[in-house]
Amino acid sequence: MSAAILTDVTRCIGCLECVAACKQANRLELDVPRYWQKTDGLSADNWTAILKKQEDHYVRKQCRHCLEPACASACPVGALHQTAQGAVVYDREKCLGCRYCMMACPYGIPRYDWDQPVPYVEKCILCYDRITQGQQPACTEVCPKQATIFGERDALIAEARSRIARNPELYIDHIWGEHEVGGTSVLYISDINLDFLAYTSNPGTRPLPQTTAKAMNAVPFAFVGMGGLMYGLNWIIRRRMELAGKDGTHED
Amino acid sequence: MNRVQNTKLILWLIAGLAAAVGVTRFIFGLGATTNLTDATPWGLWIGFDVMAGVALAGGGFVITAIFYIMKREEFHPLVKPAVLTAFLGYIAVVFGLMFDLGLPWNIWHMIIFWNPHSPLFEVGWCVMLYTTVLLLEFSPVPLEEFSRYAKIRAFLMRFRFPLVLLGIMLSTLHQSSLGSLFLIMPFKLHPLWYSEILPVLFFISAAALGLMMVSFESLVSHWLYRRKPETHLVAKLGKAAVWVLGIYLAVKMAELVWSGEFGLIFAGTWESYLFIAELMISVIIPIIIFSIPRTRNSAAGQWAGSALVVFGMIFNRINVGGLTMLRATGDTYVPSWTEIIISLGVVSAAALAFLFAIEKFHIWEQRPRHPETDKHAGASFDHTSEVWLGEPVVSARTKYSLAFIMSFALGFALLPGHKLESKGIETVVVEKARGGDTLYIDGNHDGYGVLFNHAAHIDTTRGRESCVSCHHMNKPLDRETGCWECHRAMYTATDMFGHDRHGSAQGAGLACGECHTPGLERQRSTAKQCDACHLDLIPPGSPIIADGYLAPAYVDILHQQCITCHREQAALQADKPDLALCATCHETVPPEYLQAAVWDNPRAAEFNRVVLPGPVEQTGADDE
């Protein structure tokens, strides 16, 4: 199964119930504004937030659970990893605190416990323990307007398409998250542009792990190639020295 | 020899300051000692200590390649210092990383938990292995001092060539993989620095920097010990650097043209000027200096050329490491002085270790005279007059220790105590809610307040008797004190007991023994409780437990007060299902009939620091 969330911005009334439910389900503390929280409503204690946009539009921000997550590919110890359901979850026992995941995320989602001497990465885990027990995430469960719904990714894309088809003058004909950076599990349809959710308005469809994969695949060749090159060079130079009557060996 | 001693003294001073900051960082966390934010999670410690540090330590693989692989025997005097610099450089990188990692004690996890997709995993392994290789490459030098280890030394010497080869191979990998780290951030890194061939650029620039770092280090250390500089060798390295820098420039420009980003250099943005400055410092001016034979062979030219490359490449690593991402992330990050001092401290410690090794071991052909054991320094006893003449003997080591301890203490004194304790929370003073029957409560001044219908709450709750649930204290000379008078800070608990006022003659004028039990340690917990004297302090029916008299944060108590009751009532009253919803109380803009009172109030700017008239474009939302 591929767990997914579809958020319909036109339906959200900004009641913040999802935020409250998220806090309760994940046992997060009260959100206190700190000076290192500069981007949006997300914080180490706020895994989802409602962004207020023009004309009473409310956009829920949360981890997108990319189909090919940049954070999981970046994590040197695999503390962030994708589960079979598609949720990108965090294993704090493995983490060493390098924060490469935070650098790699194209949506700027992971947060850090900057105030703690023993800090961890904090982000939405798609209520992984709840969905494995057949429940839906806390946020979608409480939404009073069904503005954010949980289900199979393919079914939600079909639902999104049919909503856009039924109401073409309301919606922008685009499903955010269908193809961006290889597709995300958290999808949006909206009547306002949602490009602000990512660091770029044109993220493309290439999954970000592919950017480093090319370089990583070249690593063994670079290793052996440089070794061969250096050894070959040395052999040639030694041979020339021998031919020139010089001793090629050197002490210390 | 004063030059060496003064330099060491300064290095010890910096190390002392850094040690104080370092200790603090592990007690209070990264937020207290850095200016890092959620949008800028990598700062100076990664850009300088790690990225630039590894590149600066690249001299080791470059010089060993020239000497052992290409058999250029004339560079022999540079080999040992270069390997030593590389070894200490890598130690410094790992040491510096310990401050930046959130959970540094888990660094060994890389050995057992593998993620081969991660460039950082590869860098981590390479650095681990290469540091070991460097240790084995360098250890014959200190082992030379101890004849009983001659066999081990001979054994290590036999593997010198394979070790050198392995070192070059490992360096190739991680010097380039440090560039691969940033391939995954195409949207954040500015296009002038982002490139698909970033790993190649990183490798070439590391090779160029390696050549110049060895030159720079040779010039500095020879100046320090007042020795004749190795001008002819530096000139040769400079000549080689021209080629490497030329290749770097050509590849970089070709990449920019090929990707159609060449025009960005002249776009007139601050990044374009930064790019031009970086390129001038790190590549173009040094190429000019080392291309002209007169400047290449002159001391001034060598100093300038090598220093420019060193600083230019540090600049480049900092630019890639985060500085040029600020436009995309919309953040502003300037390293705090505590970050800068840790970076300098790590460099100072490495420099001290370098000087130690230079003096103790056979690194240079001719060892420098050991300044600390210089018998001519200090005072001498004059036997005829039976007095000590000259300066009193304060050995250099005593001076260094004193410098370190004093700056260590000074470091703690300089650290901002409030910032450390605040956990990143700015103190927001709660003001008295304005209005009569309806109060607009916007304690954190974010324009996202709560309209509280005071009159309606009196009616719907248990009438007049319910007042005490909110006005649950009678401060001296006051009845039914309002919330804001004790719960004075929005997010942090406040002390409502004025100790000094109780003791002063102008205040209560009490003697210590009147509150503190004689014989017991004078603490809050052993003192008399407030209501022992202020009999009227807590009115009957009040919900507070006056234990210690610390008033919790305003937002905590208001939430507790309101939400509990709202939830109960929402469950009881079927006709009010929205009663427990957050948005029922929290509104962005007050309703129209109140806007005159709130927004048009002449003091609105004071109590609503974020005044957002008209359409509200607000990015922050919290769940008060």
Side-chain angles (χ1 to χ4, degrees):
Chain A
M1 99 168 243
S2 63
I5 285 179
L6 172 67
T7 297
D8 188 338
V9 172
T10 64
R11 293 192 182 190
C12 180
I13 54 165
C15 69
L16 297 168
E17 283 307 288
C18 48
V19 180
C22 175
K23 277 182 180 294
Q24 220 168 4
N26 295 299
R27 288 185 280 286
L28 303 177
E29 300 285 311
L30 183 81
D31 190 38
V32 175
R34 323 260 184 156
Y35 71 79
W36 47 73
Q37 260 166 256
K38 284 178 179 164
T39 45
D40 50 52
L42 292 187
S43 75
D45 291 315
N46 239 25
W47 292 355
T48 182
I50 299 287
L51 310 185
K52 286 178 187 296
K53 291 289 158 180
Q54 72 275 17
E55 291 154 11
D56 281 352
H57 281 88
Y58 302 97
V59 181
R60 183 156 87 91
K61 185 160 181 168
Q62 67 174 115
C63 173
R64 299 292 288 269
H65 297 279
C66 303
L67 299 186
E68 289 187 47
C71 56
S73 124
C75 182
V77 290
L80 279 161
H81 59 277
Q82 198 174 31
T83 65
Q85 287 92 343
V88 181
V89 298
Y90 173 65
D91 181 356
R92 58 163 60 189
E93 298 300 318
K94 282 186 184 173
C95 183
L96 52 88
C98 68
R99 307 189 294 285
Y100 188 26
C101 50
M102 302 175 73
M103 292 297 285
C105 178
Y107 295 101
I109 296 294
R111 300 293 136 132
Y112 209 55
D113 294 330
W114 296 108
D115 59 322
Q116 298 294 327
V118 183
Y120 296 102
V121 172
E122 307 270 355
K123 77 168 200 60
C124 161
I125 51 168
L126 205 64
C127 285
Y128 175 64
D129 43 351
R130 289 171 65 100
I131 62 174
T132 45
Q133 290 162 18
Q135 286 175 289
Q136 56 170 315
C139 52
T140 58
E141 192 179 69
V142 298
C143 183
K145 297 282 176 191
Q146 276 78 53
T148 184
I149 53 173
F150 176 74
E152 287 281 325
R153 187 164 184 273
D154 295 337
L156 289 182
I157 288 176
E159 167 69 17
R161 273 199 215 297
S162 79
R163 280 191 203 179
I164 294 172
R166 265 179 296 172
N167 226 338
E169 65 279 0
L170 175 64
Y171 290 103
I172 294 172
D173 186 14
H174 183 69
I175 304 171
W176 277 270
E178 189 183 5
H179 299 299
E180 285 95 338
V181 291
T184 64
S185 298
V186 173
L187 307 156
Y188 290 87
I189 48 173
S190 167
D191 55 343
I192 58 165
N193 194 330
L194 299 184
D195 286 347
F196 60 84
L197 286 174
Y199 278 126
T200 172
S201 55
N202 181 25
T205 56
R206 183 172 67 151
L208 288 182
Q210 285 181 12
T211 55
T212 47
K214 214 195 280 177
M216 293 306 290
N217 289 339
V219 159
F221 301 104
F223 188 67
V224 177
M226 183 50 91
L229 182 73
M230 284 293 136
Y231 191 81
L233 197 64
N234 181 253
W235 187 82
I236 293 169
I237 290 167
R238 260 186 317 179
R239 182 91 188 121
R240 276 194 188 167
M241 282 174 152
E242 273 168 32
L243 290 177
K246 272 176 78 180
D247 186 10
T249 54
H250 184 84
E251 272 303 308
D252 194 8
Chain B
M1 276 302 166
N2 258 338
R3 202 179 265 175
V4 180
Q5 291 201 1
N6 288 341
T7 309
K8 283 189 185 173
L9 197 67
I10 293 167
L11 294 175
W12 277 110
L13 280 169
I14 298 172
L17 278 176
V21 176
V23 170
T24 314
R25 177 252 169 272
F26 283 106
I27 296 171
F28 291 97
L30 285 163
T33 40
T34 69
N35 280 351
L36 297 173
T37 69
D38 280 329
T40 310
W42 282 3
L44 184 74
W45 289 349
I46 292 291
F48 177 75
D49 299 19
V50 176
M51 306 269 299
V54 170
L56 288 170
F61 88 93
V62 176
I63 292 297
T64 51
I66 291 174
F67 181 73
Y68 290 103
I69 305 289
M70 299 178 195
K71 295 281 173 201
R72 300 291 295 265
E73 313 271 318
E74 70 268 32
F75 287 103
H76 184 246
L78 293 182
V79 173
K80 282 191 209 166
V83 173
L84 172 64
T85 314
F87 177 55
L88 292 174
Y90 277 88
I91 300 276
V93 165
V94 176
F95 184 62
L97 192 62
M98 292 297 147
F99 294 99
D100 185 77
L101 288 181
L103 308 160
W105 45 88
N106 284 351
I107 194 167
W108 57 274
H109 280 185
M110 268 203 230
I111 300 170
I112 53 164
F113 301 119
W114 284 29
N115 179 17
H117 302 292
S118 169
L120 194 58
F121 170 78
E122 199 248 281
V123 171
W125 265 93
C126 275
V127 168
M128 254 184 312
L129 292 174
Y130 187 46
T131 311
T132 315
V133 167
L134 281 169
L135 175 70
L136 296 176
E137 260 184 66
F138 180 69
S139 48
V141 177
L143 288 179
E144 202 182 338
E145 308 293 313
F146 310 99
S147 54
R148 67 194 130 132
Y149 298 131
K151 269 189 187 157
I152 301 175
R153 184 168 180 273
F155 181 76
L156 286 171
M157 292 293 281
R158 232 188 313 153
F159 289 100
R160 172 145 289 188
F161 185 78
L163 278 175
V164 163
L165 194 62
L166 184 63
I168 295 167
M169 289 155 81
L170 287 169
S171 290
T172 312
L173 289 199
H174 70 261
Q175 292 288 3
S176 56
S177 288
L178 273 177
S180 309
L181 286 184
F182 295 90
L183 290 177
I184 208 161
M185 307 164 205
F187 314 137
K188 288 164 92 174
L189 193 56
H190 191 274
L192 280 173
W193 283 271
Y194 185 85
S195 149
E196 298 272 324
I197 54 160
L198 211 49
V200 179
L201 291 171
F202 260 56
F203 176 69
I204 305 173
S205 56
L209 178 57
L211 291 168
M212 287 294 93
M213 184 58 197
V214 172
S215 312
F216 188 63
E217 169 256 292
S218 156
L219 290 170
V220 171
S221 53
H222 282 71
W223 171 82
L224 215 51
Y225 288 96
R226 297 183 193 277
R227 293 159 75 101
K228 207 172 152 292
E230 294 153 324
T231 317
H232 59 293
L233 291 177
V234 175
K236 279 183 183 172
L237 290 176
K239 217 170 174 178
V242 170
W243 283 99
V244 186
L245 286 171
I247 296 169
Y248 175 66
L249 186 67
V251 175
K252 196 160 184 154
M253 288 301 129
E255 195 278 330
L256 283 176
V257 173
W258 182 74
S259 61
E261 286 153 359
F262 191 76
L264 286 175
I265 301 175
F266 309 103
T269 56
W270 67 266
E271 287 99 341
S272 67
Y273 294 120
L274 196 72
F275 184 81
I276 293 170
E278 181 204 302
L279 221 54
M280 291 302 276
I281 296 174
S282 64
V283 182
I284 294 170
I285 301 176
I287 285 185
I288 296 170
I289 290 176
F290 286 116
S291 301
I292 303 166
R294 205 164 62 89
T295 46
R296 182 170 66 225
N297 291 309
S298 78
Q302 292 185 349
W303 272 93
S306 56
L308 281 172
V309 174
V310 167
F311 288 106
M313 288 301 176
I314 292 175
F315 195 29
N316 170 262
R317 295 306 196 259
I318 288 174
N319 288 340
V320 176
L323 187 58
T324 63
M325 295 184 195
L326 295 182
R327 183 189 291 277
T329 55
D331 198 14
T332 48
Y333 163 78
V334 178
S336 62
W337 73 265
T338 40
E339 281 172 84
I340 295 169
I341 206 76
I342 286 277
S343 291
L344 291 178
V346 171
V347 174
S348 301
L352 283 169
F354 180 83
L355 298 180
F356 173 85
I358 286 277
E359 287 165 13
K360 293 280 180 197
F361 306 129
H362 188 215
I363 305 229
W364 284 339
E365 310 284 310
Q366 193 192 355
R367 275 181 225 217
R369 202 159 54 122
H370 202 251
E372 270 87 56
T373 51
D374 192 350
K375 291 280 189 301
H376 304 290
S380 56
F381 190 70
D382 185 64
H383 289 280
T384 46
S385 57
E386 292 196 339
V387 289
W388 286 89
L389 295 176
E391 299 240 336
V393 182
V394 178
S395 90
R397 285 183 195 122
T398 317
K399 262 195 266 178
Y400 302 151
S401 309
L402 258 176
F404 181 82
I405 291 165
M406 276 166 63
S407 68
F408 186 61
L410 185 69
F412 282 113
L414 289 174
L415 281 161
H418 179 74
K419 192 189 168 193
L420 297 182
E421 302 271 4
S422 72
K423 293 200 168 281
I425 305 168
E426 200 188 330
T427 307
V428 178
V429 179
V430 175
E431 287 170 48
K432 187 178 179 182
R434 286 166 181 79
D437 286 347
T438 307
L439 311 176
Y440 184 64
I441 302 171
D442 181 16
N444 59 347
H445 313 278
D446 68 348
Y448 191 60
V450 174
L451 276 172
F452 176 72
N453 195 332
H454 190 239
H457 276 80
I458 294 172
D459 298 338
T460 51
T461 51
R462 299 182 302 277
R464 282 276 152 199
E465 306 88 78
S466 68
C467 299
V468 76
S469 61
C470 292
H471 302 272
H472 46 229
M473 191 173 239
N474 294 326
K475 276 181 99 174
L477 312 176
D478 188 27
R479 311 280 309 169
E480 296 160 1
T481 306
C483 344
W484 63 281
E485 284 199 52
C486 297
H487 306 283
R488 275 193 297 263
M490 194 68 190
Y491 302 108
T492 44
T494 35
D495 183 11
M496 40 188 282
F497 171 69
H499 181 268
D500 293 355
R501 190 175 164 74
H502 280 80
S504 80
Q506 288 75 30
L510 297 173
C512 306
E514 289 182 70
C515 297
H516 295 286
T517 318
L520 284 178
E521 206 175 333
R522 281 180 193 163
Q523 282 174 347
R524 194 186 279 258
S525 55
T526 56
K528 206 183 266 183
Q529 288 291 304
C530 305
D531 50 356
C533 302
H534 300 279
L535 297 173
D536 195 21
L537 194 65
I538 301 166
S542 170
I544 56 166
I545 310 139
D547 183 22
Y549 294 94
L550 273 177
Y554 186 77
V555 67
D556 280 340
I557 57 120
L558 244 67
H559 260 172
Q560 212 182 330
Q561 278 276 36
C562 309
I563 294 173
T564 320
C565 187
H566 272 228
R567 286 224 175 100
E568 281 169 21
Q569 294 300 318
L572 289 174
Q573 304 182 32
D575 58 324
K576 288 181 177 171
D578 291 347
L579 203 56
L581 296 187
C582 308
T584 304
C585 301
H586 293 280
E587 294 203 37
T588 318
V589 237
E592 262 174 43
Y593 68 94
L594 260 175
Q595 281 184 3
V598 177
W599 302 115
D600 303 338
N601 188 308
R603 289 192 60 201
E606 284 172 43
F607 61 86
N608 296 303
R609 250 180 270 157
V610 187
V611 182
L612 302 161
V616 176
E617 169 75 23
Q618 200 168 328
T619 49
D622 61 3
D623 68 318
E624 265 177 49

